[in-house]
Amino acid sequence: QVQLVESGGGLVQAGGSLRLSCAASGRTFSSYAMGWFRQAPGKEREFVAAISWSGGHTYYADSVKGRFTISRDNAKNTVYLQMNSLKPEDTGVYYCAAGYHPGGFVPQSFAEYNYWGQGTQVTVSS
């Protein structure tokens, strides 16, 4: 079992930055690929970014590429999402997810993750 707790969300103006954190506890964190998803009101949950267990491979949705950066610190059991140049369309609840993929695989599908956090709200005002 892996427990995930997100933090760092809030209200920011367009063009601003936020850094989300996801603290993990439970099973060996370094065996898990980690991802961030988001869900806007009235929309389905969508993939944002993911990172392999070692941090050596990352993948981003086209909508955030060049603006967001995912990273992880396995010594601290924490994954981060640095969000720059935020836009109103980035508004939503951001979820951290863990998927057991000890190789270099970087999962992008909802179904490839085993554990989910409760989410943190990000609101970008125009």
Side-chain angles (χ1 to χ4, degrees):
Q1 194 78 3
V2 175
Q3 292 81 40
L4 303 172
V5 179
E6 302 96 335
S7 61
L11 174 64
V12 64
Q13 288 188 332
S17 299
L18 282 175
R19 188 195 197 201
L20 305 184
S21 299
C22 173
S25 61
R27 292 181 179 265
T28 305
F29 177 71
S30 60
S31 297
Y32 286 78
M34 301 297 295
W36 287 96
F37 289 72
R38 67 187 181 190
Q39 188 166 18
K43 295 188 177 181
E44 293 187 349
R45 196 172 298 190
E46 64 173 0
F47 170 79
V48 175
I51 189 167
S52 61
W53 72 272
S54 67
H57 301 277
T58 57
Y59 193 84
Y60 298 91
D62 287 343
S63 58
V64 307
K65 203 171 293 183
R67 300 187 297 121
F68 291 11
T69 302
I70 188 171
S71 61
R72 65 189 295 161
D73 185 338
N74 287 346
K76 295 182 178 180
N77 284 5
T78 302
V79 63
Y80 305 97
L81 185 68
Q82 177 67 44
M83 305 186 295
N84 299 328
S85 301
L86 282 161
K87 304 175 181 180
E89 50 264 43
D90 294 317
T91 293
V93 178
Y94 281 69
Y95 297 91
C96 173
Y100 184 71
H101 301 285
F105 181 57
V106 183
Q108 300 141 47
S109 168
F110 182 93
E112 292 168 321
Y113 288 88
N114 308 106
Y115 303 101
W116 293 83
Q118 293 300 306
T120 185
Q121 176 70 45
V122 171
T123 303
V124 184
S125 63
S126 57

